[in-house]
Amino acid sequence: MFCTVGRPLSLTSWLAVPFLFSIAVLGLTGLGGLLVGAPGQLALSSPVFGAGVAVGVATSGSVGWTARWQRTWLRWPYLTSVLVVGVLLDGVRVPVPAVVGLGVPVVVLLVADYFLERRRTAALVEAGTASPAPPC
């Protein structure tokens, strides 16, 4: 599907990707609302969950699937269920401090993981165990 650089994504990490992305977006939205003085409630949005599912689809090509059946019978039903949950939760109001308190640490976690993975990939390239460009 897409070219991957570095190590394959573990199945458990991939299962968390749509939710982590959605929580991070909601946290940043809530932070923006706090900065401009918006009301103390934030409505959950199904497009945010849809974007999380899109990130899940985009990253599913780099997952180290442990069995062949998982690629079809776990990937698509799981992402569909995340999307259905997002549609069902559309419009539910949650307190902004709770969203920011959960979402901002997730953003920090994702950014830190990104830089850690870049260092690991650079070390693999330097050691000669990985190529600097993905084989596409």
Side-chain angles (χ1 to χ4, degrees), residues 36-123:
V36 298
Q41 298 279 323
L42 177 69
L44 298 178
S45 171
S46 60
V48 171
F49 284 91
V53 168
V55 172
V57 169
T59 57
S60 66
S62 64
V63 175
W65 301 101
T66 55
R68 186 174 173 85
W69 65 268
Q70 291 175 341
R71 191 167 195 75
T72 302
W73 296 106
L74 179 62
R75 174 173 51 175
W76 298 117
Y78 174 71
L79 292 173
T80 302
S81 65
V82 171
L83 187 60
V84 167
V85 166
V87 169
L88 292 175
L89 292 177
D90 186 47
V92 173
R93 296 187 120 3
V94 292
V96 171
V99 172
V100 171
L102 188 60
V104 172
V106 167
V107 170
V108 171
L109 171 81
L110 291 174
V111 170
D113 190 50
Y114 167 75
F115 284 110
L116 178 65
E117 190 59 36
R118 280 190 54 159
R119 279 194 217 119
R120 286 181 184 156
T121 302

Side-chain angles (χ1 to χ4, degrees), residues 21 89 131:
F21 180 83
L89 292 177
S131 64

